[in-house]
Amino acid sequence: MANNKKRVVIIGGGAGGVVLANRLPKDEFDITIIDKQPYNYFLPWLLYIAFKGSRKPIKREIRSVLKPWVNFIQSGANVVNLQDRYVELESGKRLEYDYVVIATGASVDYSRVPGLDKVTEKFGNYHSNEDNAWRVWQTLNKMREGTLAVILAPGAYRCPPSPLEGVFLAEEFFRRRGLRDRVRIVFATFYPRPYPAEPMNELIEPLLKERGIDYVTFYTLDRIDPEKGVAYSMEGEELKFDSAIVIPPHVGVGIKYVPGDVLDSDGFVQADKFTNRVKGFDDAFVIGDASALPVAKTGVTAHLQAGVVAKILQGEDARNTGRTNCPFDVGYGLGTFVISDFYNPTIKYPINRINHLFKVAFAATYWDMLLYPELWDPVFESYFEATEPARIRHLYG
Amino acid sequence: MAVSQGNKIVVDARGIACPGPITEVVKAYRNARNGDIIEVHATDPGFEPDIKAWIQRTGNQLVELRKDSDKIVAVIKVTAKK
């Protein structure tokens, strides 16, 4: 029986990779996860390190969140050869596969905006790592007056609501410190409106106005100078700041692929949006942030795609619905969710306290949820069914 | 996805929901120079008001905006890059 098992190599031990590995039955698959570092990170919590100084641990050893029968190899991948069906590790060793699943996540590329590396070093960000998130926390604590700019650099980025979550949490921070009247907060985005999807923007834009937060739309960040305190846009605008937190452009992680044309110009892997099959290959899949698909780069997306790929590998005719469910914290213990799918635009989902509590509760269960899908899947399935866009759009528009 | 053809950049944003098409335009705009043409193909109905607003805000030139049977086509001349 053991010889008949299909060999699945999963590249990346983040949410998507781990969810998939733990869902595949051990009697049918020989499952191997590779990752260049030993930890699984709960990246959404960078927001709370940056804006609340949270000391909750955000990483856990990948091995500890995998089922015992899943193999784990700590190594980067040099090459993914889709034509000859192998993954080459850093050591040069080749892992042959029956199926490969790319779940590498995304990386950030500071070089795309001149000056961004220095700005990040000085003020931090909350889209890369713990050190940079702590820098944001130090930036906030140092500010007594002046302008804090939160700027969304053009390109892909993780977690659609997070730029504005940071803006709202910064506003709460300064108000609670009694400094709100001395600190101006300005949000700059290349999108036509503060939140890109119009229905959600109908909730968010009034809230920005109510809290006295300034915003600039169609602002395409071109370069930024931390010494002068000026961010320049391609449209010729100059945005002056005392502190600036820039959401950096995200790109693929830089693994070599054969053939190379499965990657787009940002290094993301192109695939079918319904099945996650890599363009041109039946035995290769990409899930989560690593894909070039026009879907949100969030853990929820990775989780749901992993579920679909797990079913496809077991012979089912499963398809993605494009469902999003991104928690959106707006400060003061309030939140909403960005809910949509391929067939329904974003819902104008009301802001309330329960939504914020859901976000915090999810964070508390994250690793448990990864390790015990058999316990948590029914809970999530009930939630997703109850909040299905086609069902609730009539309630909220 | 954007493909360069001389000084013309063709952006295929069909099948991408809002705000995907405008994101693709901005990505192409980043790599463009004054005088270049960006031709965008999109299917999302929200693209039409968004591209009009983008043109108004950025000061670039909208050469053509037409609706074919299966897509919206916007032809933009890049004129306002600083």
Side-chain angles (χ1 to χ4, degrees):
Chain A
M1 180 68 197
N3 290 338
N4 294 331
K5 284 189 184 182
K6 294 198 170 60
R7 296 160 301 174
V8 180
V9 173
I10 301 170
I11 310 169
V18 170
V19 163
L20 174 62
N22 286 343
R23 269 166 182 70
L24 292 174
K26 63 178 172 181
D27 53 345
E28 285 181 49
F29 297 96
D30 180 15
I31 312 147
T32 301
I33 282 197
I34 66 167
D35 198 310
K36 64 184 169 191
Q37 41 83 36
Y39 299 109
N40 175 285
Y41 287 86
F42 184 59
L43 292 177
W45 210 259
L46 292 177
L47 179 77
Y48 294 112
I49 293 174
F51 295 95
K52 289 182 181 287
S54 169
R55 294 191 176 275
K56 174 181 146 71
I58 70 159
K59 66 182 180 186
R60 196 170 279 194
E61 294 221 356
I62 292 173
R63 182 67 268 172
S64 75
V65 292
L66 290 174
K67 296 289 191 188
W69 54 85
V70 176
N71 307 306
F72 174 63
I73 300 174
Q74 192 192 329
S75 168
N78 284 343
V79 181
V80 178
N81 190 318
L82 300 167
Q83 281 166 347
D84 296 332
R85 304 170 93 177
Y86 67 82
V87 177
E88 186 182 297
L89 303 179
E90 282 169 339
S91 63
K93 185 184 170 189
R94 292 179 175 183
L95 296 180
E96 294 180 350
Y97 61 76
D98 295 302
Y99 296 108
V100 66
V101 182
I102 300 146
T104 54
S107 184
V108 295
D109 185 358
Y110 299 116
S111 73
R112 295 194 172 202
V113 179
L116 183 51
D117 51 352
K118 289 191 182 122
V119 167
T120 307
E121 203 180 313
K122 194 166 178 183
F123 303 113
N125 69 28
Y126 54 106
H127 281 77
S128 54
N129 56 44
E130 283 182 85
D131 286 347
N132 282 330
W134 281 113
R135 282 199 183 104
V136 172
W137 179 242
Q138 287 155 11
T139 297
L140 297 187
N141 280 280
K142 276 184 207 156
M143 272 193 92
R144 292 286 176 273
E145 60 185 355
T147 296
L148 170 70
V150 179
I151 305 171
L152 179 57
Y157 64 102
R158 272 193 288 263
C159 186
S162 64
L164 280 160
E165 288 186 291
V167 169
F168 283 122
L169 293 183
E171 197 278 338
E172 181 184 355
F173 174 89
F174 289 117
R175 193 173 298 277
R176 289 195 189 280
R177 297 281 170 110
L179 299 167
R180 185 63 186 91
D181 54 348
R182 286 194 266 166
V183 176
R184 174 183 178 241
I185 300 170
V186 57
F187 174 59
T189 173
F190 63 94
Y191 284 121
R193 50 193 84 82
Y195 192 81
E198 179 56 32
M200 181 52 63
N201 188 60
E202 287 172 19
L203 290 173
I204 295 305
E205 196 166 354
L207 202 60
L208 289 167
K209 288 178 179 161
E210 189 182 306
R211 297 194 189 162
I213 299 166
D214 295 334
Y215 53 87
V216 189
T217 55
F218 290 128
Y219 179 96
T220 313
L221 182 64
D222 187 43
R223 62 192 197 280
I224 185 162
D225 187 333
E227 304 308 323
K228 286 186 185 162
V230 182
Y232 303 88
S233 77
M234 283 182 206
E235 294 80 20
E237 279 179 275
E238 293 187 5
L239 175 58
K240 293 195 170 71
F241 60 80
D242 296 282
S243 304
I245 298 158
V246 179
I247 290 85
H250 288 45
V251 294
V253 296
I255 295 173
K256 183 183 172 191
Y257 283 83
V258 180
D261 67 1
V262 297
L263 298 180
D264 74 359
S265 57
D266 291 324
F268 294 119
V269 181
Q270 301 181 72
D272 177 76
K273 71 176 183 179
F274 294 112
T275 63
N276 288 88
R277 278 197 168 88
V278 175
K279 190 181 82 171
F281 293 88
D282 281 344
D283 54 2
F285 299 82
V286 56
I287 57 175
D289 297 354
S291 90
L293 291 169
V295 293
K297 291 196 184 304
T298 73
V300 175
T301 299
H303 183 155
L304 292 172
Q305 291 176 338
V308 167
V309 171
K311 286 180 182 171
I312 291 174
L313 294 187
Q314 292 172 78
E316 288 186 47
D317 185 22
R319 285 164 77 83
N320 290 305
T321 63
R323 175 66 193 271
T324 64
N325 196 79
C326 311
F328 193 155
D329 199 328
V330 298
Y332 304 98
L334 296 166
T336 177
F337 281 88
V338 181
I339 295 175
S340 66
D341 60 23
F342 288 147
Y343 315 99
N344 298 277
T346 303
I347 307 292
K348 202 169 154 184
Y349 201 63
I351 293 167
N352 59 37
R353 290 193 180 278
I354 288 288
N355 292 336
H356 171 72
L357 288 174
F358 272 158
K359 174 166 179 156
V360 177
F362 176 79
T365 64
Y366 171 69
W367 283 298
D368 202 50
M369 180 206 78
L370 293 188
L371 187 54
Y372 303 109
E374 64 277 19
L375 299 178
W376 287 98
D377 276 358
V379 176
F380 284 105
E381 280 164 17
S382 301
Y383 172 83
F384 282 120
E385 195 183 332
T387 54
E388 201 178 299
R391 193 178 289 228
I392 61 172
R393 63 187 289 192
H394 304 295
L395 284 174
Y396 305 118
Chain B
M1 170 177 277
V3 179
S4 284
Q5 300 169 352
N7 71 338
K8 183 169 155 184
I9 303 161
V10 178
V11 178
D12 184 358
R14 289 174 298 171
I16 306 178
C18 167
I22 205 78
T23 308
E24 295 299 314
V25 171
V26 169
K27 275 164 69 178
Y29 185 57
R30 263 198 77 89
N31 299 321
R33 287 180 294 191
N34 282 333
D36 285 355
I37 297 287
I38 300 175
E39 183 177 305
V40 193
H41 299 197
T43 46
D44 186 273
F47 177 65
E48 191 178 339
D50 281 357
I51 195 64
K52 283 181 180 166
W54 187 82
I55 288 292
Q56 192 177 17
R57 180 71 164 73
T58 60
N60 290 286
Q61 192 183 335
L62 187 59
V63 179
E64 187 184 0
L65 181 62
R66 69 171 194 270
K67 279 186 188 171
D68 289 351
S69 57
D70 59 341
K71 65 187 176 197
I72 301 163
V73 178
V75 181
I76 300 153
K77 184 167 186 184
V78 178
T79 54
K81 280 194 90 163
K82 303 293 178 192

